[in-house]
């Protein structure tokens, strides 16, 4: 009887084990949870051994019940990476950035040979990079930045021939780069090795990286030797940062190395030649004079005399007189063109006076503090943020990268010599008659301070240039984050459903502030994904408000055809030269925007309900993943009408939702609430649209803090 009872118990336990037994892949992931000592946000809370598979766990994505993705960034998780993760044979993507992981990366992790993206940045990982890294034949993204990795890069890294993004900045890597670095990794698009202890020469074959984009950052290392001229073979748009190394010799003047500011080369005392002020010895030939000068002799016997020939003396005197005249003429031109004269109403010169202005560099009076008249030109940088410390010379000498252009000007990324980064928008030329109007408008905008609005730091006004200087927001625009990967461009950001709701919640708060709490109760008037920038934690920052008004003032009485626009190919250069170079003018045309409310094309005065409509279109874009001008068969249809057609045809929710969100477990009721809210914002009647305060309150309820 006892034996039968024991057999029954064994059968029962065996049956129970079959019911609740977690599969092998779940066990491998569970080892990660067991290695975690802190999980402040409960990111791994629903990782339970009672499940039969891990496919419903937070941060885990599966295909055919095989784990393909582990994505848990910015959750404050503290622990180490277990070797068991390498047993996930179909694992393609790991993103554990911005946590508190420590210890070394186990070599067994690289047994997951399907791995395509490994992002472990901003942790406390250490140790050397295992030789087994070479097994990752399919990896295209390796981001280990902001950790404590050390040792040299293994030669096996060259075997990762599909690698496109290698970001190792902010570690303690040492030694030279592996042999064949430039020939084995020819698909590389982004390379950042800055802030390490790499040494040796820069490989000549690095010039073969023809797919590079953005910045090739080798700064703050110990690279020595000369700069290989082969780097000039890289694409023109690539900015090469070689600052703070031990490089020597002349700076090659070809390709992307030419016409750069000094910022890219500072911190290398042994470098010489332009753009540095340290000339190479060959650039300044030492003048050679004969020990004696032959003089004119009376007997013509070719003997040596004791003085200069009379013809030499006359030539020297004439040259001196001509030189003095030229200098006087130049000073006169400087006075009349820069300092100017004051004319009477009849157009004749009434009073000639030295104007005490900062722009009159010929006759500057340092004690001048008087106000400018309406017709005088200001040539000074006005700081609107007391915490900012830089002057105009620093700004104009900095290296600049053209980020983009639109109807309101050109936007540059500007890096000062101390590494401080700004965003500078160049407006049009002319319009000096309206300085006071510009000053009033820009200083009102400069008073806006809100966590979801880009801060205007300073501005500069002159007849030739009008500059607006902002905080630089590092992760680009919402448009790039949402659509870059779908258009074939590289994007380092993947927006989850939670990220998208937080972005819209922050944007709603920023617009509510502009509408109700700003000094002039602004209307943005041009809200779209490219005007919503993303900060370090994907917090949204609204940019571009007030630009239309400022651009109109800046252009003054000029015609649209005289506005200078940038060249098609963005590139780094010194900001001063970038602003002064002559660029072919292009006529501007106004295209109908799918983000603008229908009534905005008829009404004269802007309405806050215009912004509500634009917000609704952006919200639909985040929900559907489609552009504002969506494809409907072989024709184009604006996104609002496309969603309306889906509603009328009673299409399933999955048809409307962005396919990139299909793997996430999203509450369908919440999606429907978001669609209803966005459709209310794009109502054809402005009176029936909610206010931004109502929208913000609704999103606060849907997206708790």
């Amino acid at each position: 009887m006892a034996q039968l009872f024991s057999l029954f118990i064994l059968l029962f336990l065996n049956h129970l084990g079959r019911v609740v037994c977690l599969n092998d892949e779940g066990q491998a992931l569970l080892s990660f949870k067991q290695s975690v000592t802190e999980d402040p946000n409960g990111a791994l809370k629903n990782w339970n051994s009672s499940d039969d598979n891990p496919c419903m766990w937070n941060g885990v994505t599966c295909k055919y019940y095989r784990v393909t993705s582990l994505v848990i960034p910015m959750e404050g998780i503290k622990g180490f990476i277990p070797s068991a993760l390498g047993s996930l044979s179909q694992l393609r993507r790991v993103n554990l950035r911005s946590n508190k992981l420590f210890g070394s990366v186990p070599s067994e992790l690289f047994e997951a040979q399907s791995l395509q993206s490994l992002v472990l940045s901003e942790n406390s990982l250490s140790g050397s990079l295992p030789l087994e890294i070479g097994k990752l034949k399919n990896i295209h993204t390796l981001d280990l930045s902001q950790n404590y990795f050390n040792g040299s890069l293994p030669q096996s890294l060259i075997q990762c021939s599909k690698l496109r993004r290698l970001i190792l900045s902010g570690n303690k890597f040492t030694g030279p780069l592996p042999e064949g670095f430039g020939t084995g990794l020819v698909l590389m698009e982004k390379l950042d090795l800055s802030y390490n202890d790499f040494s040796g020469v820069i490989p000549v074959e690095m010039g073969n990286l023809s797919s590079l984009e953005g910045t090739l950052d080798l700064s703050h290392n110990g690279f020595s030797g000369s700069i290989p001229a082969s780097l000039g073979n890289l694409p023109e748009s690539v900015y090469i940062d070689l600052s703070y190394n031990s490089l020597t010799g002349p700076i090659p003047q070809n390709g992307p190395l030419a016409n750069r500011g000094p910022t890219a080369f500072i911190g290398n005392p042994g470098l010489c030649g332009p753009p540095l002020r340290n000339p190479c010895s060959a650039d300044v030939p030492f003048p050679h004079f004969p020990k004696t000068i032959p003089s004119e002799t009376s007997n013509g016997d070719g003997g040596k005399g004791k003085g200069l020939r009379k013809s030499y003396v006359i030539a020297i005197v004439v040259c001196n007189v001509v030189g003095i005249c030229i200098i006087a003429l130049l000073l006169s031109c400087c006075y009349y063109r820069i300092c100017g004269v004051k004319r009477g109403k009849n157009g004749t010169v009434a009073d000639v006076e030295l104007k005490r202005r900062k722009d009159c560099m010929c006759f500057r009076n340092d004690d001048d503090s008087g106000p400018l008249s309406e017709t005088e030109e200001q040539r000074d940088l006005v700081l609107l943020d007391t915490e900012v410390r830089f002057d105009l010379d620093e700004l104009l000498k900095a290296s600049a990268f053209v980020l983009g252009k639109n109807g309101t000007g050109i936007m540059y990324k500007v890096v000062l010599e101390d590494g401080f980064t700004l965003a500078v928008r160049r407006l049009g030329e002319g319009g000096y008659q309206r300085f006071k109007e510009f000053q009033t408008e820009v200083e009102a905008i400069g008073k806006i301070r809100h966590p979801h609005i880009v801060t205007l730091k300073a501005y500069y006004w002159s007849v030739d240039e009008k500059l607006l200087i902002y905080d630089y927001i590092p992760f680009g625009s919402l448009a790039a984050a949402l659509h870059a990967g779908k258009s074939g461009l590289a994007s380092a950001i993947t927006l989850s459903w939670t990220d998208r709701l937080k972005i819209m919640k922050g944007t709603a708060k920023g617009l509510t502030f502009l509408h109700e709490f700003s000094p002039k109760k602004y209307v943005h008037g041009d809200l779209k994904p490219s005007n919503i920038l993303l900060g370090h934690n994907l917090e949204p920052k609204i940019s571009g408000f007030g630009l239309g008004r400022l651009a109109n003032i800046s252009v003054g009485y000029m015609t649209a055809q005289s506005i200078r626009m940038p060249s098609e190919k963005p590139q780094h250069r010194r900001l001063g030269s970038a602003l002064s170079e002559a660029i072919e003018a292009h006529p501007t045309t106004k295209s109908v925007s799918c983000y603008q409310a229908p009534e905005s094309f008829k009404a004269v005065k802007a309405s806050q309900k215009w912004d509500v409509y634009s917000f609704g279109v952006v919200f639909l874009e985040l929900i559907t993943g489609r552009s504002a001008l969506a494809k409907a068969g072989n024709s184009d249809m604006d996104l609002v009408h496309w969603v309306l057609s889906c509603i009328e045809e009673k299409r399933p929710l999955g048809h409307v939702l962005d396919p990139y969100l299909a793997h996430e477990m999203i509450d369908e009721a919440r999606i429907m609430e978001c669609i209803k809210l966005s459709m209310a914002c794009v109502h054809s009647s402005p009176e029936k649209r909610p206010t931004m305060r109502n929208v913000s309150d609704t999103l606060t309820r849907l997206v708790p803090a």
Side-chain angles (χ1 to χ4, degrees):
M1 187 69 177
Q3 290 178 343
L4 288 173
F5 181 77
S6 299
L7 180 61
F8 174 79
I9 293 296
L10 288 172
L11 289 172
F12 175 78
L13 291 175
N14 185 44
H15 172 72
L16 184 63
R18 286 197 303 270
V19 171
V20 299
C21 184
L22 186 63
N23 66 16
D24 292 342
E25 301 218 332
Q27 294 289 354
L29 287 177
L30 206 57
S31 68
F32 176 59
K33 181 178 182 178
Q34 292 165 352
S35 73
V36 170
T37 58
E38 292 181 13
D39 184 10
N41 298 326
L44 309 180
K45 186 177 181 180
N46 71 335
W47 288 33
N48 298 314
S49 57
S50 58
D51 297 329
D52 58 351
N53 68 72
C55 297
M56 303 296 287
W57 291 356
N58 178 49
V60 178
T61 303
C62 295
K63 187 174 183 180
Y64 304 119
Y65 297 100
R66 309 286 285 185
V67 175
T68 60
S69 176
L70 175 61
V71 179
I72 311 178
M74 299 183 295
E75 294 290 355
I77 294 173
K78 186 175 182 180
F80 61 88
I81 300 174
S83 58
L85 291 184
S87 65
L88 302 173
S89 60
Q90 299 301 311
L91 186 63
R92 298 179 184 176
R93 182 182 178 209
V94 174
N95 186 343
L96 300 174
R97 69 180 176 90
S98 303
N99 283 294
K100 298 179 181 179
L101 301 177
F102 57 86
S104 61
V105 176
S107 59
E108 291 84 357
L109 178 62
F110 303 112
E111 296 295 334
Q113 297 182 21
S114 296
L115 202 59
Q116 297 177 2
S117 176
L118 179 60
V119 179
L120 302 174
S121 57
E122 299 178 51
N123 281 284
S124 298
L125 298 166
S126 58
S128 59
L129 201 57
L131 290 171
E132 288 77 6
I133 183 92
K135 294 182 178 181
L136 302 182
K137 306 296 184 183
N138 296 308
I139 194 165
H140 58 71
T141 298
L142 180 62
D143 187 350
L144 305 179
S145 59
Q146 306 302 318
N147 280 286
Y148 298 97
F149 289 106
N150 53 39
S152 59
L153 295 184
Q155 184 64 39
S156 59
L157 182 65
I158 306 303
Q159 299 171 19
C160 303
S161 57
K162 295 183 180 180
L163 197 58
R164 294 179 181 271
R165 297 172 57 82
L166 179 61
I167 307 171
L168 304 177
S169 59
N171 282 285
K172 298 180 179 180
F173 285 111
T174 58
L177 297 181
E179 185 179 349
F181 191 86
T183 53
L185 304 175
V186 292
L187 298 180
M188 191 77 69
E189 295 175 357
K190 180 174 178 60
L191 179 59
D192 188 351
L193 305 179
S194 61
Y195 291 92
N196 279 285
D197 294 313
F198 287 113
S199 59
V201 298
I202 298 174
V204 174
E205 65 267 17
M206 194 172 282
N208 296 327
L209 302 179
S210 58
S211 298
L212 277 181
E213 300 173 352
T215 300
L216 167 60
D217 201 340
L218 305 180
S219 65
H220 295 86
N221 279 289
F223 288 113
S224 58
S226 60
I227 300 174
S230 61
L231 292 186
N233 299 330
L234 296 176
E236 285 281 350
S237 60
V238 172
Y239 176 65
I240 304 174
D241 192 345
L242 302 174
S243 59
Y244 298 100
N245 280 282
S246 300
L247 299 168
T248 57
I251 298 172
Q253 295 298 305
N254 61 322
L257 290 170
N259 301 318
R260 295 293 187 240
T263 308
F265 307 102
I266 59 174
N268 293 278
L271 284 180
C272 62
L276 301 179
R277 296 180 179 178
N278 178 28
C280 298
S281 56
D283 295 338
V284 187
F286 189 80
H288 175 73
F289 297 102
K291 292 182 179 179
T292 58
I293 302 177
S295 62
E296 187 179 24
T297 58
S298 57
N299 57 7
D301 60 1
K304 296 180 180 179
K306 295 182 180 181
L308 293 174
R309 295 179 182 177
K310 185 183 294 185
S311 59
Y312 286 178
V313 174
I314 295 173
I316 291 172
V317 172
V318 171
C319 289
N320 286 338
V321 172
V322 172
I324 292 172
C325 291
I326 291 174
I327 292 172
L329 181 61
L330 289 174
L331 288 174
S332 177
C333 290
C334 179
Y335 171 76
Y336 280 101
R337 295 192 63 183
I338 299 178
C339 295
V341 295
K342 191 174 183 179
R343 295 182 179 274
K345 294 181 180 179
N346 59 359
T348 61
V349 178
D351 293 302
V352 179
E353 61 177 1
L354 299 181
K355 298 181 180 180
R356 293 181 175 183
R357 304 183 298 175
K358 290 184 178 180
D359 61 313
C360 183
M361 302 308 293
C362 302
F363 308 99
R364 179 171 178 174
N365 185 342
D366 291 332
D367 297 329
D368 175 31
S369 58
L372 294 172
S373 70
E374 191 70 21
T375 58
E376 283 184 305
E377 177 195 354
Q378 175 171 327
R379 294 181 62 90
D380 199 7
L381 187 71
V382 179
L383 300 179
L384 302 174
D385 187 340
T386 56
E387 296 181 0
V388 174
R389 290 290 181 270
F390 59 88
D391 57 30
L392 185 60
D393 286 340
E394 290 178 88
L395 186 68
L396 295 181
K397 290 177 182 177
S399 292
F401 180 78
V402 180
L403 295 175
K405 64 178 180 178
N406 56 31
T408 56
I410 312 167
M411 181 63 82
Y412 297 88
K413 173 185 176 182
V414 175
V415 183
L416 303 180
E417 287 196 0
D418 61 2
F420 188 64
T421 306
L422 299 164
V424 178
R425 182 178 291 277
R426 177 198 181 197
L427 299 175
E429 303 173 358
Y432 61 89
Q433 302 92 338
R434 305 173 69 181
F435 165 68
K436 289 296 184 183
E437 194 176 352
F438 181 92
Q439 182 185 41
T440 301
E441 191 75 21
V442 77
E443 292 188 358
I445 294 173
K447 293 177 182 178
I448 301 294
R449 293 290 186 274
H450 190 273
H452 294 298
I453 298 175
V454 178
T455 302
L456 181 62
K457 295 284 189 182
Y459 72 94
Y460 170 78
W461 167 283
S462 75
V463 170
D464 297 326
E465 299 295 346
K466 284 100 182 141
L467 307 178
L468 302 176
I469 297 95
Y470 298 91
D471 277 331
Y472 176 71
I473 311 302
F475 285 98
S477 70
L478 176 59
L482 187 60
H483 298 301
K486 300 170 187 178
S487 60
L489 299 175
S491 175
I493 303 175
T494 300
L495 298 179
S496 67
W497 174 249
T498 302
D499 291 335
R500 300 181 194 209
L501 289 185
K502 287 181 179 179
I503 289 170
M504 295 315 295
K505 176 183 174 182
T507 304
K509 286 183 176 180
L511 283 176
T512 301
F513 181 85
L514 284 179
H515 287 184
E516 300 192 16
F517 303 105
S518 62
K520 294 189 176 183
K521 295 189 175 181
Y522 282 99
V523 175
H524 188 289
D526 192 27
L527 186 73
K528 51 191 175 184
S530 59
N531 281 335
I532 300 173
L533 307 181
L534 301 177
H536 285 285
N537 295 316
L538 297 184
E539 71 275 9
K541 303 273 188 178
I542 299 172
S543 69
F545 75 92
L547 274 182
R549 170 74 174 157
L550 290 175
N552 180 55
I553 296 172
S554 301
V555 173
Y557 299 105
M558 294 171 57
T559 61
Q561 282 76 10
S562 65
I563 300 175
R564 292 183 182 180
M565 299 298 286
S567 57
E568 289 292 329
K569 186 180 292 185
Q571 55 183 322
H572 273 280
R573 64 196 79 176
R574 284 182 61 180
L575 181 61
S577 61
L579 295 179
S580 62
E581 68 180 349
I583 303 170
E584 183 180 359
H586 297 276
T588 58
T589 58
K590 181 179 180 181
S591 58
V592 177
S593 171
C594 296
Y595 299 99
Q596 291 180 311
E599 70 274 10
S600 66
F601 299 106
K602 301 176 183 177
V604 176
K605 187 176 181 181
S607 163
Q608 292 180 352
K609 293 300 180 76
W610 295 10
D611 288 345
V612 177
Y613 184 94
S614 301
F615 179 91
V617 178
V618 175
F619 202 176
L620 286 175
E621 202 165 338
L622 284 175
I623 294 171
T624 64
R626 293 171 173 262
S627 299
L629 193 62
K631 280 285 184 185
N634 295 326
S635 60
D636 292 330
M637 178 185 294
D638 70 81
L639 186 57
V640 173
H641 286 89
W642 182 83
V643 175
L644 281 171
S645 68
C646 291
I647 294 172
E648 291 172 358
E649 296 170 9
K650 297 182 179 180
R651 295 289 186 94
L653 188 59
H655 182 76
V656 177
L657 190 65
D658 187 348
Y660 278 65
L661 301 174
H663 67 278
E664 295 191 33
M665 297 302 298
I666 308 172
D667 184 3
E668 290 191 2
R670 179 170 293 187
I671 298 175
M672 290 305 301
E673 285 191 73
C674 291
I675 293 176
K676 288 178 182 178
L677 178 60
S678 57
M679 293 307 293
C681 292
V682 296
H683 199 286
S684 58
S685 173
E687 294 78 15
K688 294 185 179 181
R689 296 173 200 153
T691 64
M692 282 312 307
R693 181 193 283 268
N694 296 145
V695 174
S696 181
D697 291 345
T698 302
L699 283 171
T700 300
R701 176 176 56 82
L702 289 173
V703 191

